[in-house]
Amino acid sequence: MALFEEEPRKKKLVHEIGQDLSALSVGELEERIDLLRGEILRLEAEKAAKGATRNAADALFRR
């Protein structure tokens, strides 16, 4: 028994578009859905930020 045992690391959840889902449990599918929803929110936020930057640049150069 080691003096300092490392806690088991949780495997990072990765989803590949188009992968076979038949081996996943309902819980694992829910985790994937949550992961993808979070990623969609992140992408939409980045899109909005870039849109705001573009709008500011357009407004500046229209003067």
Side-chain angles (χ1 to χ4, degrees), residues 24-40:
L24 299 176
S25 69
V26 171
E28 290 170 323
L29 290 170
E30 288 174 354
E31 287 179 7
R32 301 283 174 106
I33 290 168
D34 290 341
L35 173 75
L36 292 169
R37 282 188 178 137
E39 185 65 6
I40 289 168

Side-chain angles (χ1 to χ4, degrees), residues 48-63:
K50 288 184 184 230
T53 302
R54 172 71 186 259
N55 291 341
D58 286 345
L60 178 65
F61 291 109
R62 279 189 214 151
R63 292 183 181 185

Side-chain angles (χ1 to χ4, degrees), residues 39-51:
E39 185 65 6
I40 289 168
L41 291 174
R42 188 176 78 90
L43 290 166
E44 288 176 340
E46 184 65 21
K47 179 182 164 190
K50 288 184 184 230

